[in-house]
Structure formats: C-alpha cells, structure tokens
Amino acid sequence: MRKNIAEDSGPSLKAPQSHQISAVYEDAEGLIELLVTYFKEGLEGGEYCLWVSPDKLAAEGAKSELMKAGVDVEHYLTSSQLEFLPANPLLEDLTLLASAVKELAEKGYGNTLSGGFSGFRTNFEIKNTGNSLKPCLETCGKAIETMALEKNKSITLLYTIPLEELSGRVLLELMEESNVFAKRKGKLESLRILEEKIELKNNFLKAKTDLEASNWAKNGLMVNMNHELRTPLNSVIGFSDLLLEGAFGSLNTRQSKYVSNILISGKNLLEIINYLLDISMLETGEKNLNYEDVDIASLLGEVRMSLISFASSKKVSVEVKVDASLENIRADRTKLRQILYSLMNNAIKLTPEKKKVTVSALKKEGMLEIKVSDSGIGLSKEDHERMFMPFIQADFSTTRGYGGTGLGLYIAKNFVDLHGGNIWVESKGEKGSTFIFTLPIK
C-alpha cells in the first residue's frame, strides 16, 4: 500500500508571491502523488478545488487516492468544494493557451466567490512544449496577473510536467525558478533548493577530499620528521647522560646544571615527537592492536622504575598496589604501557614536593580497573572532559608551572578506546585528582 502522501510530502506546494507553481514528475504514480498533496492542502485550507483529470476512470482513481490520504471526498463533493473536470488538449499557440487558462481561472474564481470559499486552485498538464516551456509558463502567468482578485481570496494554478519531455537545457532553466518542484526520496522539494543542496554536497565532498589529502601529506611529513629528529636528539640525550656521569671528566656545579637542563629539554622534546607520531598514526586510521598476555603488576613496576628519577627529583613517592587475585589480561602491551606512563607522569607533575602518587589495580565487574591518584591542585568539573582533548590542560592559571603539551592524556584516551575500555577523572576541589580507566580482561 502506498504511504500516506500527506506525511511524506515534505514541504508544501507553495510559492510565495506567485499564483502558479510547477511540478516535475517521473511517472503516473508520481503525478497522482503530486496532485493529491496539492489538492488536499487546498481542501483543508477552505479553497474551491477543480481537479482537471484525463477521463472518468482517472477521476475515480483520484478520488480513491484522496480517500487513502484521509480526505472525506464525499463531503467535499457534496458541498461543491471539490469538482473533477475532464481535460481538454492544451493549445499549442501561446496566446490561445493563455486565453484558455485565464478563462478557466476566471470561471473557477467565480465559483470561489459565489460559494464563499477562501480561494481557488486547479491544475494543468503541460506537454509537447519542447524548448518553449518557460515562455509558455510566463505567458500563462501574465494572463492570470491581469485578473481582478479580492485581497482576501487566493488563486493557485499547478502545472504538471513529465520529466521525460524535458531537455537538459530546459531543466537547467527550471532550476533557476523558486516555484518549480520535484519529488526526491519521497519528498517534494524546490528544484532551486535541490540544486543548492547538490552544490553544497559537492563542495563538502571536495573540501573533505582536500582535507584528507592534506592530512595524508601532513602525517607523511610527521613520520619522516620523526626519524630525522630522533637521530640527533638521541645523540644529545646520550652524550648529556655521559657528561653527567663524568665519562669525560668531572663537571663543576654550573656545568652540571647546564648539562642537566640540556638533558631534561632533550627528553621533553623526544616525548613530544613520540606523541605527535602517535597522533599521526591515529589520524591515518592506524588502529591495530597486538594482543598478548600482560602481567599488570610487572608492567606497573616497569613504568614506575622508568619514572622514579623524575619523581625523586621532585621528592615525590610513587606507591603501587595490585590486587593479588588479579590475573594476566589480554592487551596491547606497548599501548597499555603508554597509557600507564602518561597517567603516572601526569600525576607526578601535578603532585607537590614530598607528597605521594598512588596507583592501584584490581578486577571489578569483569574488567581491569586502574586508578592513578595525585596530591595536586585538583580539577574543576568543567575541566574533566577537556583534559582528554589534544593540546589542552586544565585551568592554565594553575597548571602552567607543571609543563606538558596536553597530548599524553589525549593519546591515552584513544588507546583506552581502542581496547574497548573507558577512562574518566574524579576530583574533589583542591584534594587532588584520580584518573581511572577500565579495560576488558579477556
């Protein structure tokens, strides 16, 4: 059964400031849907409707379709608000055609006034006009404009045009008009709006393609730059370590301070390069996970040892608690290590001297749950979501002194998401923050 046309018709067949509208249709079913939408709107608006139909059989079919659309056809026929008129062949001479259209319009308008209806609407089928369709519509429109109409009465003429008779040139001309409609995906839309939508879609697709090409070029550059920067940077870090260890002779206090600054800056820069490479891989759709059995206690101990020097320099202690009943989990060990490193590194940065960072791991509701708590400044509720955005830190007035790019937490969240887990933060005023994430155990 055909759907209720009134529900599917989308925008109504109205053309502001115009007495005539046109609609293009593909087949007989499309034509009947157009006409039902058009006349139902008129009947519900209190207008006198004259449906011009090819023959009696078509008129009966029209009545049936109106009833399917919820129209009380018998009521409107009895009250003379709705009539069906057999169609006469339209004249090819434009002047005679305009006169015929005007004559029918005047007759219908007379019935509108005598019956006390709010307006008048009817329809015409336009065929065999070739490239003169637009002049034909313009001529008919001028004829209607010469009619004397009362201010509170309306008159509307619908011209239906079979799509198969339209050349590309004529169709383009129609697209420039605001009162020409067509059915698309079950809805009636203005051809001009449709053209604008198509143009907008094409522009969007082009912009998307250009953006994707730009991203690929940028990410390719990132990968190459990563290699080019890593090599000299590793040398800077390595030789700084050797100098501090006294491999080339002892350093005085000032020299040690400067070399230590070089080492710290080098490690920070290497961290940023690693983060940018991870982001590039995520943006290119690199989402592969290399699952393996991971001993959480062992991995947490490994990450703690890699950060112990940084923590000691701040006189911050790092305490790790792992539930004895927690078994190995299936995860990408490298990415899980980076999640833990980012969260623990962030906690150490935010924790004041002589305070403590606590890390706990346990099994909860079939998931691995890891909490990383700092003793820092805490976070406002507004910052809870922002903390996981790239290049974002919490309130800059309070975190500027802690350094960092704001990339670590963003990457950690992406890696947690890849594993099918969740990550969030809890904070109570100035009592520190706790970053929590969960991962499926198997």
Side-chain angles (χ1 to χ4, degrees), residues 339-354:
I339 295 169
L340 294 170
Y341 183 92
S342 295
L343 295 180
M344 292 169 68
N345 183 51
N346 183 69
I348 295 170
K349 284 180 182 177
L350 296 177
T351 298
E353 287 189 2
K354 299 180 181 180

Side-chain angles (χ1 to χ4, degrees), residues 20-209:
Q20 61 181 24
I21 55 179
S22 304
V24 179
Y25 67 90
E26 290 188 56
D27 50 31
E29 183 177 348
L31 174 61
I32 197 71
E33 290 188 358
L34 282 170
L35 294 174
V36 168
T37 299
Y38 173 66
F39 283 111
K40 180 180 180 182
E41 186 178 85
L43 291 169
E44 292 176 345
E47 297 178 354
Y48 166 56
C49 296
L50 181 60
W51 187 322
V52 179
S53 185
D55 49 48
K56 288 185 177 181
L57 183 62
E60 290 301 318
K63 293 177 186 178
S64 175
E65 292 301 326
L66 276 173
M67 286 190 286
K68 287 180 182 178
V71 176
D72 187 349
V73 175
E74 292 305 319
H75 165 72
Y76 289 117
L77 288 173
T78 303
S79 63
S80 299
Q81 187 180 343
L82 172 64
E83 289 189 51
F84 290 90
L85 179 71
N88 292 319
L90 290 180
L91 303 170
E92 294 184 6
D93 183 279
L94 291 184
T95 303
L96 295 176
L97 172 62
S99 298
V101 170
K102 183 178 181 182
E103 181 181 348
L104 181 59
E106 288 178 338
K107 182 179 179 181
Y109 195 67
N111 290 342
T112 297
L113 296 176
S114 62
F117 300 113
S118 63
F120 166 63
R121 67 173 55 197
T122 188
N123 65 294
F124 291 94
E125 176 78 353
I126 303 292
K127 290 185 177 181
N128 306 317
T129 56
N131 289 331
S132 61
L133 174 62
K134 192 171 182 181
C136 170
L137 297 175
E138 290 174 349
T139 302
C140 293
K142 289 177 182 178
I144 298 299
E145 288 173 2
T146 62
M147 291 177 56
L149 304 176
E150 295 186 12
K151 290 184 178 179
N152 62 339
K153 303 293 182 181
S154 65
I155 180 169
T156 310
L157 277 68
L158 169 66
Y159 300 99
T160 52
I161 310 159
L163 180 62
E164 61 185 12
E165 291 198 9
L166 297 179
S167 64
R169 170 189 163 188
V170 174
L171 189 57
L172 288 174
E173 289 178 349
L174 290 177
M175 281 186 166
E176 297 175 0
E177 305 295 326
S178 61
N179 59 344
V180 181
F181 294 79
K183 185 180 176 186
R184 179 174 181 263
K185 294 183 178 179
K187 295 183 179 180
L188 293 173
E189 295 189 24
S190 164
L191 283 184
R192 176 184 283 184
I193 294 175
L194 185 56
E195 181 187 31
E196 291 171 354
K197 284 184 178 179
I198 292 172
E199 183 179 357
L200 181 63
K201 182 179 180 180
N202 289 338
N203 290 339
F204 172 77
L205 290 175
K206 182 179 183 301
K208 183 181 178 184
T209 301

Side-chain angles (χ1 to χ4, degrees), residues 202-222:
N202 289 338
N203 290 339
F204 172 77
L205 290 175
K206 182 179 183 301
K208 183 181 178 184
T209 301
D210 291 344
L211 180 60
E212 287 176 349
S214 175
N215 278 337
W216 275 104
K218 178 198 71 178
N219 292 329
L221 177 64
M222 281 290 185

Side-chain angles (χ1 to χ4, degrees), residues 364-378:
K364 185 176 181 180
E365 297 178 356
M367 303 282 282
L368 165 68
E369 181 181 273
I370 294 182
K371 295 183 178 181
V372 180
S373 302
D374 62 62
S375 306
I377 55 177

Side-chain angles (χ1 to χ4, degrees), residues 290 292 294 299 331-339 415:
N290 299 314
E292 59 181 294
V294 180
L299 183 59
D332 185 312
R333 192 177 194 280
T334 301
K335 289 182 171 59
L336 180 52
R337 184 187 190 282
Q338 190 160 347
I339 295 169
F415 285 170

